[in-house]
Amino acid sequence: AAVVAALAPICVDRFRQHADMGTNLTELKKVSSWQQGAFVEKGGWATMPGSAAPNTAVARACAEMLTT
């Protein structure tokens, strides 16, 4: 839980710095809540530097932070 709490804000920051942030946020909000984490994973925002794969728990927390 502590790792997710530490990494989710990084994911949010990476999402917000993307060139298409407005479009991506609109699309994220269109996706059903149970698929929003997968949307964040596919965008690559939940893949932390040095990691080859996205962190599912971070992606879910990131999506929740972005949509609330």
Side-chain angles (χ1 to χ4, degrees):
V3 173
V4 172
L7 296 180
I10 295 170
C11 174
V12 169
D13 187 52
R14 292 178 71 193
F15 183 96
R16 289 183 176 156
Q17 289 183 14
H18 194 271
D20 294 330
M21 193 278 288
T23 302
N24 289 330
L25 186 57
T26 300
E27 291 301 314
L28 176 63
K29 289 181 178 182
K30 287 181 185 177
V31 175
S32 64
S33 61
W34 59 275
Q35 291 181 318
Q36 289 175 343
F39 181 91
V40 171
E41 285 184 46
K42 287 180 189 174
W45 304 292
T47 303
M48 295 296 116
S51 189
N55 183 310
T56 303
V58 170
R60 285 192 304 263
C62 181
E64 185 175 326
M65 291 173 76
L66 288 163
T67 57
T68 56

